[in-house]
């Protein structure tokens, strides 16, 4: 058998990895290249949306930096085939993942948060900011998008008992790693190394003041982003990041830094909620009645688990709340889409029936 020695140097240690191309450093992968042929790529080179402003979309590619016209259907992290002659006609490539939420306010619409993220670090602090219900919401968004989530507990160096926070975070889902650290210094680069390899795209999600920008700076080994402290009276953060932006770390990952989201309304994330509450979902399949409401019905496996001490009743309450919210918001969006389609059909019918005029 012939052995392949290409992976080893003369000293027996693994040979250095080849340098990434400019596109690979931006997160380009076979998933995207499979969508185009060589001629398309030559005529319309790929660019990635690194920031979304009211004035336009900032994009970067191999030797390309440009600003495209605003487009509500495009978000930070998207890949486009750049049309230099007609920038507004640049084609959007299929996404590998998409984080979206119901937009804040009364208007029923989805807000695109970011696309093509591989790992979402859900960041919270070991102080008054820590909130299990909020973590569950972020995790549902990540699971629904097909993104691997990791819970990061910052300000671990300032907590009297870090284990209390770690235990609560770990109890949320056995599918989600939990990492406690000090966002400053070398800890982020060391502890997050399994998820922050060169060319990968990661995102820091969480409230203001939990250390998202500080974590990005730590990975970069310098001050890419201005940071501020938190208010000491309530541990709430001051806004530093004002828009979502991708930062390309030399020799490292592509990092999405995001503003703190005050409101995380969920819609169209039923699978994500089921993934977060997989333990409860499994219990519901063992109830005697298929339509069990898990209240007073006989043979309810969920209530039995609570009585036995195997399920926290507060967790059941949060599951019910998220499931009800998701159903309401998703139905509202579906109803709006139905109305829009109905109105479009009505307009088309009126136009077709209108007599021709000279």
């Amino acid at each position: 058998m012939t052995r392949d020695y290409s992976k080893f140097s003369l000293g027996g240690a693994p040979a250095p990895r080849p340098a990434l191309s400019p596109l690979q450093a931006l997160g380009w992968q076979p998933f995207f290249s499979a969508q185009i042929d060589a001629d398309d790529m030559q005529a319309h080179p790929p660019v990635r949306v690194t920031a979304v402003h009211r004035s336009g979309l900032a994009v970067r590619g191999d030797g390309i930096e440009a600003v495209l016209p605003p487009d509500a259907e495009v978000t930070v992290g998207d890949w486009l085939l750049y049309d230099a002659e007609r920038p507004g006609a640049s084609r959007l490539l299929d996404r590998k993942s998409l984080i979206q939420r119901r937009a804040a306010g009364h208007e029923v619409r989805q807000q695109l948060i970011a696309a093509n993220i591989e790992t979402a670090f859900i960041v919270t602090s070991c102080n008054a900011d820590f909130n299990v219900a909020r973590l569950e919401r972020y995790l549902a968004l990540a699971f629904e998008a097909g993104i691997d989530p990791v819970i990061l507990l910052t300000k671990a160096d300032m907590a009297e008992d870090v284990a209390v926070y770690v235990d609560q975070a770990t109890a949320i889902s056995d599918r989600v790693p939990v990492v406690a650290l000090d966002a400053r210094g070398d800890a982020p680069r060391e502890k997050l190394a399994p998820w922050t390899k060169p060319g990968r795209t990661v995102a820091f999600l969480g409230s203001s003041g939990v250390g998202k920008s500080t974590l990005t700076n730590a990975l970069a080994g310098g001050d890419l982003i201005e940071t501020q402290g938190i208010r000491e009276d309530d541990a709430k953060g001051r806004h530093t990041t004002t828009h979502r932006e991708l930062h390309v770390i030399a020799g490292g990952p592509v990092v999405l830094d995001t503003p703190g989201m005050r409101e995380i309304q969920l819609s169209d994330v039923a699978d994500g909620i089921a993934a977060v509450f997989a333990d409860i979902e499994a219990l519901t399949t063992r109830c005697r009645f298929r339509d069990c409401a898990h209240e007073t019905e006989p043979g309810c496996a969920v209530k039995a688990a609570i009585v036995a001490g195997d399920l926290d009743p507060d967790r059941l309450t949060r599951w019910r709340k998220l499931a009800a919210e998701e159903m309401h918001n998703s139905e509202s969006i579906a109803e709006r889409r139905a109305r829009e389609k109905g109105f479009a059909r009505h307009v088309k019918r009126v136009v077709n029936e209108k007599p021709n005029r000279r």
Side-chain angles (χ1 to χ4, degrees):
M1 182 179 70
T2 302
R3 186 177 180 186
D4 180 11
Y5 289 91
S6 61
K7 298 180 181 179
F8 300 89
S9 64
L10 292 177
R17 293 183 180 180
L20 299 182
S21 70
L23 283 181
Q24 289 173 329
L26 282 166
W28 184 255
Q29 298 179 2
F31 175 86
F32 306 109
S33 59
Q35 301 179 42
I36 58 177
D37 56 35
D39 292 336
D40 285 337
M41 194 164 177
Q42 188 71 25
H44 300 105
V47 294
R48 193 168 196 189
V49 179
T50 56
V52 176
H53 305 283
R54 291 182 179 179
S55 58
L57 310 172
V59 300
R60 286 179 59 180
D62 186 356
I64 300 173
E65 287 196 29
V67 177
L68 277 57
D71 188 336
E73 300 303 316
V74 177
T75 189
V76 64
D78 271 328
W79 282 96
L80 305 171
L81 295 185
Y82 180 56
D83 190 324
E85 296 182 359
R86 298 185 303 155
S90 299
R91 179 165 69 90
L92 175 67
L93 294 181
D94 291 342
R95 295 159 172 143
K96 195 173 183 180
S97 63
L98 175 64
I99 301 176
Q100 57 184 336
R101 63 169 178 174
R102 177 175 171 172
H106 299 293
E107 186 178 356
V108 182
R109 64 181 178 85
Q110 289 287 77
Q111 179 187 16
L112 307 183
I113 303 299
N116 302 313
I117 305 298
E118 294 171 270
T119 299
F121 293 112
I122 313 303
V123 189
T124 187
S125 300
C126 297
N127 56 24
D129 174 79
F130 184 88
N131 184 291
V132 170
R134 190 191 307 125
L135 290 174
E136 290 167 344
R137 286 175 177 269
Y138 276 114
L139 292 175
L141 285 177
F143 277 131
E144 185 68 30
I147 298 171
D148 296 327
V150 177
I151 295 177
L152 292 191
L153 304 178
T154 60
K155 300 180 172 59
D157 55 307
M158 302 171 62
E160 292 184 4
D161 189 355
V162 177
V164 172
Y165 298 98
V166 172
D167 290 345
Q168 292 184 71
T170 303
I172 296 175
S173 172
D174 57 9
R175 295 175 53 184
V176 182
V178 176
V179 178
L181 47 65
D182 178 354
R184 302 162 299 177
D186 296 331
R189 273 183 290 180
E190 295 171 357
K191 292 192 174 185
L192 306 186
W195 304 281
T196 56
K197 300 183 184 305
R200 290 184 59 82
T201 303
V202 302
F204 291 118
L205 306 175
S207 305
S208 297
V210 296
K212 301 187 300 296
S213 297
T214 302
L215 286 162
T216 302
N217 287 339
L219 291 180
D223 293 334
L224 278 178
I225 308 169
E226 181 184 355
T227 60
Q228 299 185 50
I230 62 171
R231 299 197 300 257
E232 294 183 1
D233 56 342
D234 58 5
K236 293 185 180 296
R238 301 180 178 94
H239 291 280
T240 299
T241 302
T242 58
H243 61 277
R244 295 182 296 277
E245 183 173 358
L246 287 179
H247 301 276
V248 183
I249 307 299
V254 181
V255 180
L256 173 66
D257 184 39
T258 63
M261 288 186 276
R262 295 187 181 91
E263 184 178 355
I264 315 171
Q265 285 287 321
L266 301 182
S267 63
D268 294 333
V269 293
D271 291 341
I273 293 174
V276 176
F277 295 93
D279 53 336
I280 297 179
E281 294 284 340
L283 286 171
T284 62
T285 64
R286 291 157 45 189
C287 292
R288 180 183 302 176
F289 301 105
R290 185 174 299 177
D291 59 348
C292 182
H294 319 301
E295 293 177 350
T296 60
E297 296 86 348
C300 175
V302 174
K303 299 299 290 186
I306 291 177
V307 172
D310 297 329
L311 175 63
D312 183 351
D314 290 339
R315 182 169 171 81
L316 176 62
T317 299
R318 295 194 302 271
W319 173 69
R320 282 177 167 154
K321 181 179 179 180
L322 283 186
E325 175 186 314
E326 193 280 334
M327 181 178 295
H328 170 75
N329 288 344
S330 299
E331 288 176 349
S332 297
I333 291 175
E335 290 170 358
R336 185 203 61 164
R337 290 173 179 165
R339 285 196 301 271
E340 289 177 348
K341 289 181 179 179
F343 179 72
R345 287 194 296 267
H346 172 70
V347 171
K348 185 176 181 180
R349 184 173 63 252
V350 170
V351 170
N352 292 335
E353 293 175 355
K354 187 176 181 180
N356 294 327
R357 296 179 181 177
R358 295 184 179 179

mmCIF file of all heavy atoms in Angstrom, residues 177-209:
data_model
loop_
_atom_site.group_PDB
_atom_site.id
_atom_site.type_symbol
_atom_site.label_atom_id
_atom_site.label_comp_id
_atom_site.label_asym_id
_atom_site.label_seq_id
_atom_site.Cartn_x
_atom_site.Cartn_y
_atom_site.Cartn_z
ATOM 1 N N PRO A 177 -23.375 23.030 23.774
ATOM 2 C CA PRO A 177 -22.221 23.216 24.667
ATOM 3 C C PRO A 177 -22.344 24.529 25.434
ATOM 4 O O PRO A 177 -22.927 25.502 24.940
ATOM 5 C CB PRO A 177 -21.028 23.250 23.703
ATOM 6 C CG PRO A 177 -21.530 22.690 22.423
ATOM 7 C CD PRO A 177 -22.986 23.010 22.362
ATOM 8 N N VAL A 178 -21.795 24.564 26.626
ATOM 9 C CA VAL A 178 -21.787 25.768 27.458
ATOM 10 C C VAL A 178 -20.343 26.092 27.814
ATOM 11 O O VAL A 178 -19.613 25.223 28.313
ATOM 12 C CB VAL A 178 -22.633 25.582 28.737
ATOM 13 C CG1 VAL A 178 -22.527 26.816 29.633
ATOM 14 C CG2 VAL A 178 -24.090 25.299 28.380
ATOM 15 N N VAL A 179 -19.933 27.335 27.544
ATOM 16 C CA VAL A 179 -18.568 27.765 27.821
ATOM 17 C C VAL A 179 -18.612 29.019 28.683
ATOM 18 O O VAL A 179 -19.264 30.002 28.331
ATOM 19 C CB VAL A 179 -17.789 28.065 26.520
ATOM 20 C CG1 VAL A 179 -16.382 28.550 26.838
ATOM 21 C CG2 VAL A 179 -17.756 26.839 25.618
ATOM 22 N N ALA A 180 -17.932 28.992 29.833
ATOM 23 C CA ALA A 180 -17.821 30.158 30.704
ATOM 24 C C ALA A 180 -16.425 30.736 30.557
ATOM 25 O O ALA A 180 -15.431 29.994 30.568
ATOM 26 C CB ALA A 180 -18.096 29.780 32.152
ATOM 27 N N LEU A 181 -16.336 32.057 30.399
ATOM 28 C CA LEU A 181 -15.030 32.668 30.191
ATOM 29 C C LEU A 181 -15.050 34.162 30.517
ATOM 30 O O LEU A 181 -16.100 34.751 30.749
ATOM 31 C CB LEU A 181 -14.565 32.462 28.745
ATOM 32 C CG LEU A 181 -15.543 32.746 27.582
ATOM 33 C CD1 LEU A 181 -15.921 34.205 27.488
ATOM 34 C CD2 LEU A 181 -14.917 32.298 26.265
ATOM 35 N N ASP A 182 -13.856 34.724 30.523
ATOM 36 C CA ASP A 182 -13.669 36.167 30.572
ATOM 37 C C ASP A 182 -13.487 36.596 29.120
ATOM 38 O O ASP A 182 -12.600 36.078 28.428
ATOM 39 C CB ASP A 182 -12.436 36.502 31.412
ATOM 40 C CG ASP A 182 -12.152 38.002 31.479
ATOM 41 O OD1 ASP A 182 -12.835 38.773 30.781
ATOM 42 O OD2 ASP A 182 -11.238 38.396 32.226
ATOM 43 N N ALA A 183 -14.340 37.509 28.639
ATOM 44 C CA ALA A 183 -14.303 37.889 27.218
ATOM 45 C C ALA A 183 -13.028 38.598 26.827
ATOM 46 O O ALA A 183 -12.724 38.745 25.637
ATOM 47 C CB ALA A 183 -15.510 38.771 26.890
ATOM 48 N N ARG A 184 -12.244 39.027 27.813
ATOM 49 C CA ARG A 184 -11.001 39.730 27.512
ATOM 50 C C ARG A 184 -9.827 38.748 27.511
ATOM 51 O O ARG A 184 -9.925 37.638 27.987
ATOM 52 C CB ARG A 184 -10.757 40.822 28.565
ATOM 53 C CG ARG A 184 -11.891 41.851 28.670
ATOM 54 C CD ARG A 184 -11.803 42.610 29.966
ATOM 55 N NE ARG A 184 -11.918 41.718 31.131
ATOM 56 C CZ ARG A 184 -11.814 42.118 32.382
ATOM 57 N NH1 ARG A 184 -11.586 43.392 32.641
ATOM 58 N NH2 ARG A 184 -11.921 41.245 33.374
ATOM 59 N N GLY A 185 -8.727 39.183 26.941
ATOM 60 C CA GLY A 185 -7.511 38.375 26.977
ATOM 61 C C GLY A 185 -7.516 37.236 25.980
ATOM 62 O O GLY A 185 -8.161 37.289 24.931
ATOM 63 N N ASP A 186 -6.796 36.153 26.320
ATOM 64 C CA ASP A 186 -6.610 35.028 25.406
ATOM 65 C C ASP A 186 -7.682 33.948 25.535
ATOM 66 O O ASP A 186 -7.732 33.042 24.700
ATOM 67 C CB ASP A 186 -5.243 34.389 25.648
ATOM 68 C CG ASP A 186 -4.094 35.335 25.333
ATOM 69 O OD1 ASP A 186 -4.276 36.201 24.454
ATOM 70 O OD2 ASP A 186 -3.033 35.210 25.975
ATOM 71 N N ALA A 187 -8.529 34.027 26.554
ATOM 72 C CA ALA A 187 -9.512 32.960 26.790
ATOM 73 C C ALA A 187 -10.427 32.701 25.598
ATOM 74 O O ALA A 187 -10.657 31.540 25.238
ATOM 75 C CB ALA A 187 -10.327 33.273 28.039
ATOM 76 N N PRO A 188 -10.988 33.740 24.949
ATOM 77 C CA PRO A 188 -11.868 33.458 23.806
ATOM 78 C C PRO A 188 -11.172 32.691 22.692
ATOM 79 O O PRO A 188 -11.743 31.736 22.140
ATOM 80 C CB PRO A 188 -12.302 34.858 23.348
ATOM 81 C CG PRO A 188 -12.226 35.686 24.581
ATOM 82 C CD PRO A 188 -11.017 35.176 25.315
ATOM 83 N N ARG A 189 -9.949 33.086 22.340
ATOM 84 C CA ARG A 189 -9.254 32.384 21.256
ATOM 85 C C ARG A 189 -8.963 30.929 21.630
ATOM 86 O O ARG A 189 -9.044 30.032 20.789
ATOM 87 C CB ARG A 189 -7.949 33.110 20.923
ATOM 88 C CG ARG A 189 -8.123 34.229 19.911
ATOM 89 C CD ARG A 189 -6.816 34.876 19.541
ATOM 90 N NE ARG A 189 -6.269 35.660 20.646
ATOM 91 C CZ ARG A 189 -5.127 36.325 20.579
ATOM 92 N NH1 ARG A 189 -4.399 36.273 19.483
ATOM 93 N NH2 ARG A 189 -4.701 37.027 21.608
ATOM 94 N N GLU A 190 -8.663 30.706 22.888
ATOM 95 C CA GLU A 190 -8.327 29.349 23.314
ATOM 96 C C GLU A 190 -9.574 28.477 23.458
ATOM 97 O O GLU A 190 -9.616 27.353 22.952
ATOM 98 C CB GLU A 190 -7.564 29.410 24.644
ATOM 99 C CG GLU A 190 -6.201 30.094 24.539
ATOM 100 C CD GLU A 190 -5.563 30.329 25.896
ATOM 101 O OE1 GLU A 190 -6.223 30.015 26.913
ATOM 102 O OE2 GLU A 190 -4.417 30.823 25.951
ATOM 103 N N LYS A 191 -10.578 28.987 24.146
ATOM 104 C CA LYS A 191 -11.758 28.171 24.441
ATOM 105 C C LYS A 191 -12.710 28.029 23.246
ATOM 106 O O LYS A 191 -13.473 27.059 23.169
ATOM 107 C CB LYS A 191 -12.512 28.753 25.638
ATOM 108 C CG LYS A 191 -11.748 28.636 26.948
ATOM 109 C CD LYS A 191 -12.642 28.941 28.142
ATOM 110 C CE LYS A 191 -11.929 28.674 29.454
ATOM 111 N NZ LYS A 191 -12.821 28.847 30.630
ATOM 112 N N LEU A 192 -12.686 29.001 22.329
ATOM 113 C CA LEU A 192 -13.602 28.949 21.191
ATOM 114 C C LEU A 192 -12.934 28.402 19.933
ATOM 115 O O LEU A 192 -13.556 28.357 18.870
ATOM 116 C CB LEU A 192 -14.174 30.352 20.910
ATOM 117 C CG LEU A 192 -14.847 31.047 22.089
ATOM 118 C CD1 LEU A 192 -15.484 32.358 21.630
ATOM 119 C CD2 LEU A 192 -15.893 30.150 22.739
ATOM 120 N N ALA A 193 -11.688 27.962 20.054
ATOM 121 C CA ALA A 193 -10.931 27.473 18.903
ATOM 122 C C ALA A 193 -11.638 26.371 18.108
ATOM 123 O O ALA A 193 -11.561 26.358 16.879
ATOM 124 C CB ALA A 193 -9.549 26.991 19.358
ATOM 125 N N PRO A 194 -12.355 25.422 18.755
ATOM 126 C CA PRO A 194 -13.013 24.378 17.959
ATOM 127 C C PRO A 194 -14.034 24.906 16.960
ATOM 128 O O PRO A 194 -14.339 24.238 15.964
ATOM 129 C CB PRO A 194 -13.699 23.508 19.032
ATOM 130 C CG PRO A 194 -12.901 23.740 20.276
ATOM 131 C CD PRO A 194 -12.487 25.173 20.205
ATOM 132 N N TRP A 195 -14.582 26.086 17.207
ATOM 133 C CA TRP A 195 -15.632 26.641 16.344
ATOM 134 C C TRP A 195 -15.161 27.821 15.499
ATOM 135 O O TRP A 195 -15.925 28.321 14.676
ATOM 136 C CB TRP A 195 -16.819 27.096 17.194
ATOM 137 C CG TRP A 195 -17.386 26.023 18.055
ATOM 138 C CD1 TRP A 195 -18.231 25.024 17.667
ATOM 139 C CD2 TRP A 195 -17.171 25.829 19.466
ATOM 140 N NE1 TRP A 195 -18.550 24.217 18.742
ATOM 141 C CE2 TRP A 195 -17.907 24.691 19.863
ATOM 142 C CE3 TRP A 195 -16.426 26.509 20.435
ATOM 143 C CZ2 TRP A 195 -17.931 24.228 21.182
ATOM 144 C CZ3 TRP A 195 -16.430 26.046 21.736
ATOM 145 C CH2 TRP A 195 -17.176 24.915 22.094
ATOM 146 N N THR A 196 -13.949 28.301 15.699
ATOM 147 C CA THR A 196 -13.508 29.536 15.054
ATOM 148 C C THR A 196 -12.317 29.311 14.135
ATOM 149 O O THR A 196 -11.370 30.095 14.114
ATOM 150 C CB THR A 196 -13.162 30.608 16.110
ATOM 151 O OG1 THR A 196 -12.171 30.092 17.009
ATOM 152 C CG2 THR A 196 -14.391 31.001 16.901
ATOM 153 N N LYS A 197 -12.363 28.255 13.367
ATOM 154 C CA LYS A 197 -11.274 27.967 12.438
ATOM 155 C C LYS A 197 -11.318 28.938 11.255
ATOM 156 O O LYS A 197 -12.371 29.507 10.952
ATOM 157 C CB LYS A 197 -11.355 26.519 11.955
ATOM 158 C CG LYS A 197 -11.255 25.506 13.104
ATOM 159 C CD LYS A 197 -11.254 24.091 12.593
ATOM 160 C CE LYS A 197 -11.249 23.086 13.739
ATOM 161 N NZ LYS A 197 -10.147 23.281 14.674
ATOM 162 N N PRO A 198 -10.198 29.134 10.576
ATOM 163 C CA PRO A 198 -10.154 30.066 9.441
ATOM 164 C C PRO A 198 -11.214 29.748 8.389
ATOM 165 O O PRO A 198 -11.426 28.586 8.027
ATOM 166 C CB PRO A 198 -8.742 29.857 8.878
ATOM 167 C CG PRO A 198 -7.939 29.389 10.047
ATOM 168 C CD PRO A 198 -8.865 28.544 10.862
ATOM 169 N N GLY A 199 -11.881 30.784 7.920
ATOM 170 C CA GLY A 199 -12.884 30.632 6.876
ATOM 171 C C GLY A 199 -14.275 30.278 7.360
ATOM 172 O O GLY A 199 -15.230 30.315 6.578
ATOM 173 N N ARG A 200 -14.433 29.936 8.627
ATOM 174 C CA ARG A 200 -15.768 29.654 9.155
ATOM 175 C C ARG A 200 -16.463 30.958 9.525
ATOM 176 O O ARG A 200 -15.805 31.967 9.818
ATOM 177 C CB ARG A 200 -15.692 28.735 10.387
ATOM 178 C CG ARG A 200 -15.273 27.312 10.049
ATOM 179 C CD ARG A 200 -15.318 26.439 11.283
ATOM 180 N NE ARG A 200 -16.643 26.385 11.886
ATOM 181 C CZ ARG A 200 -17.625 25.586 11.480
ATOM 182 N NH1 ARG A 200 -17.438 24.778 10.459
ATOM 183 N NH2 ARG A 200 -18.793 25.588 12.092
ATOM 184 N N THR A 201 -17.775 30.933 9.519
ATOM 185 C CA THR A 201 -18.538 32.128 9.855
ATOM 186 C C THR A 201 -19.305 31.895 11.145
ATOM 187 O O THR A 201 -20.083 30.942 11.252
ATOM 188 C CB THR A 201 -19.532 32.489 8.736
ATOM 189 O OG1 THR A 201 -18.820 32.671 7.512
ATOM 190 C CG2 THR A 201 -20.262 33.783 9.068
ATOM 191 N N VAL A 202 -19.055 32.753 12.123
ATOM 192 C CA VAL A 202 -19.699 32.623 13.431
ATOM 193 C C VAL A 202 -20.387 33.939 13.768
ATOM 194 O O VAL A 202 -20.071 34.996 13.214
ATOM 195 C CB VAL A 202 -18.681 32.258 14.536
ATOM 196 C CG1 VAL A 202 -17.966 30.958 14.194
ATOM 197 C CG2 VAL A 202 -17.672 33.379 14.737
ATOM 198 N N ALA A 203 -21.344 33.874 14.681
ATOM 199 C CA ALA A 203 -22.077 35.075 15.093
ATOM 200 C C ALA A 203 -22.151 35.136 16.605
ATOM 201 O O ALA A 203 -22.285 34.102 17.274
ATOM 202 C CB ALA A 203 -23.490 35.069 14.508
ATOM 203 N N PHE A 204 -22.068 36.337 17.144
ATOM 204 C CA PHE A 204 -22.296 36.576 18.557
ATOM 205 C C PHE A 204 -23.672 37.229 18.701
ATOM 206 O O PHE A 204 -23.908 38.321 18.178
ATOM 207 C CB PHE A 204 -21.213 37.480 19.157
ATOM 208 C CG PHE A 204 -19.866 36.833 19.241
ATOM 209 C CD1 PHE A 204 -18.777 37.356 18.551
ATOM 210 C CD2 PHE A 204 -19.672 35.694 20.008
ATOM 211 C CE1 PHE A 204 -17.530 36.759 18.634
ATOM 212 C CE2 PHE A 204 -18.431 35.085 20.095
ATOM 213 C CZ PHE A 204 -17.347 35.614 19.399
ATOM 214 N N LEU A 205 -24.584 36.539 19.389
ATOM 215 C CA LEU A 205 -25.943 37.029 19.579
ATOM 216 C C LEU A 205 -26.211 37.191 21.073
ATOM 217 O O LEU A 205 -25.793 36.358 21.870
ATOM 218 C CB LEU A 205 -26.964 36.052 18.981
ATOM 219 C CG LEU A 205 -26.788 35.648 17.522
ATOM 220 C CD1 LEU A 205 -27.811 34.579 17.145
ATOM 221 C CD2 LEU A 205 -26.919 36.860 16.599
ATOM 222 N N GLY A 206 -26.926 38.246 21.438
ATOM 223 C CA GLY A 206 -27.243 38.448 22.845
ATOM 224 C C GLY A 206 -27.601 39.890 23.127
ATOM 225 O O GLY A 206 -27.652 40.730 22.223
ATOM 226 N N SER A 207 -27.862 40.192 24.377
ATOM 227 C CA SER A 207 -28.255 41.534 24.790
ATOM 228 C C SER A 207 -27.068 42.487 24.716
ATOM 229 O O SER A 207 -25.914 42.077 24.591
ATOM 230 C CB SER A 207 -28.806 41.503 26.220
ATOM 231 O OG SER A 207 -29.859 40.580 26.344
ATOM 232 N N SER A 208 -27.364 43.775 24.818
ATOM 233 C CA SER A 208 -26.303 44.778 24.860
ATOM 234 C C SER A 208 -25.504 44.636 26.151
ATOM 235 O O SER A 208 -26.058 44.349 27.213
ATOM 236 C CB SER A 208 -26.900 46.183 24.789
ATOM 237 O OG SER A 208 -27.583 46.376 23.564
ATOM 238 N N GLY A 209 -24.200 44.816 26.049
ATOM 239 C CA GLY A 209 -23.361 44.828 27.238
ATOM 240 C C GLY A 209 -22.877 43.493 27.732
ATOM 241 O O GLY A 209 -22.207 43.432 28.765
#
